[in-house]
Amino acid sequence: MSSLRSKVALITGGTKGIGYGIAESLLQCGVYVAVTGRTEKSAKEAAKRLNEFSNDSVHAIGIAADVRDYKSQENAVKQVIAEFGKLDVVIANAGLGHFGSIQDLTIEQWQETIDTNLSGAFYTLKASVDEIIKTKGYYISISSLAGTNFFAGGSAYNASKFGLTGFTQAVMLDLRKHGVKVSTIMPGSVSTHFNGNSPNESDSWKIQSEDIGELVVDLLKMNPRTLPSKIEVRPSMPPSK
């Protein structure tokens, strides 16, 4: 089992939800963490909360970065290297969803979904790939069961997540010859603020963000010879319809 202590992780969209849950789990394992958000305020506040939670010498930093902008992702990676000196783990987590019939979906909604969920993951890896090759690190994308199961009203979201799943699997083949591991995690219903939801007791049946964090830790600790490249995750007991 690999030790994670003193490794360095960059998590996009890490100010809340799944990204924040992953950051908490990694800090508990002694990983230095950088979380990004679209605004400096949200990124710094998330880092502050994480540092209050951490009881170790490791710490988190917050970086304002928009995954839709490649230069912004390059700058985020430069800040991580300047702060921590290396980069071992990259989590492409930032995402959003616009849902509705193709008759109602706007051009702007389509573009924002693809730019964030698919191009954003590409920009994140493209900006960091040289650094994680240096450390023989790990790239993980957070896709969705919507990346393999289509549904009415999901044309933009399905397209982005089907694309993200395929992108990540192809990248896995590109990078494993460099000693870099690549996985995509495909959750079902997760209790987050996604799509305007406010997590509450009625979400108790759903996957929790810390569950995804635990899964990420398990992946990072796995023997280097073994690679779970695509992981589907579901609530074990969803409510009956």
Side-chain angles (χ1 to χ4, degrees), residues 39-61:
T39 68
E40 184 171 1
K41 180 182 179 185
S42 66
K44 299 298 185 187
E45 287 180 350
K48 181 180 178 181
R49 294 196 309 273
L50 287 166
N51 286 326
E52 291 171 352
F53 162 83
S54 176
N55 57 6
D56 205 336
S57 59
V58 297
H59 65 279
I61 62 170

Side-chain angles (χ1 to χ4, degrees), residues 197-216:
N197 181 61
S198 295
N200 55 67
E201 290 184 6
S202 67
D203 286 343
S204 62
W205 63 271
K206 296 180 180 179
I207 300 164
Q208 302 299 305
S209 58
E210 60 265 29
D211 301 338
I212 304 299
E214 183 178 349
L215 177 55
V216 168

Side-chain angles (χ1 to χ4, degrees), residues 161-175:
K161 293 299 188 178
F162 268 72
L164 178 56
T165 299
F167 165 75
T168 310
Q169 294 298 285
V171 163
M172 178 268 294
L173 299 177
D174 288 341
L175 294 183

Side-chain angles (χ1 to χ4, degrees), residues 134-212:
K134 288 178 186 176
T135 58
K136 296 187 184 300
Y138 212 134
Y139 173 76
I140 298 173
S141 69
I142 306 300
S143 184
S144 169
L145 289 182
T148 192
N149 301 317
F150 52 85
F151 53 89
S155 58
Y157 192 69
N158 282 145
S160 71
K161 293 299 188 178
F162 268 72
L164 178 56
T165 299
F167 165 75
T168 310
Q169 294 298 285
V171 163
M172 178 268 294
L173 299 177
D174 288 341
L175 294 183
R176 63 182 177 178
K177 64 186 177 185
H178 297 291
V180 174
K181 283 188 166 187
V182 177
S183 299
T184 188
I185 298 173
M186 306 170 68
S189 298
V190 183
S191 177
T192 69
H193 293 86
F194 184 78
N195 202 31
N197 181 61
S198 295
N200 55 67
E201 290 184 6
S202 67
D203 286 343
S204 62
W205 63 271
K206 296 180 180 179
I207 300 164
Q208 302 299 305
S209 58
E210 60 265 29
D211 301 338
I212 304 299

Side-chain angles (χ1 to χ4, degrees), residues 89-139:
V89 181
V90 175
I91 312 286
N93 165 74
L96 55 78
H98 290 296
F99 302 94
S101 165
I102 189 61
Q103 297 164 284
D104 302 319
L105 190 73
T106 68
I107 299 298
E108 292 75 20
Q109 288 173 327
W110 169 271
Q111 200 66 60
E112 185 178 28
T113 304
I114 299 298
D115 286 352
T116 303
N117 298 356
L118 182 53
S119 295
F122 165 70
Y123 294 152
T124 298
L125 178 56
K126 189 68 175 176
S128 60
V129 66
D130 289 342
E131 296 298 334
I132 59 173
I133 286 176
K134 288 178 186 176
T135 58
K136 296 187 184 300
Y138 212 134
Y139 173 76

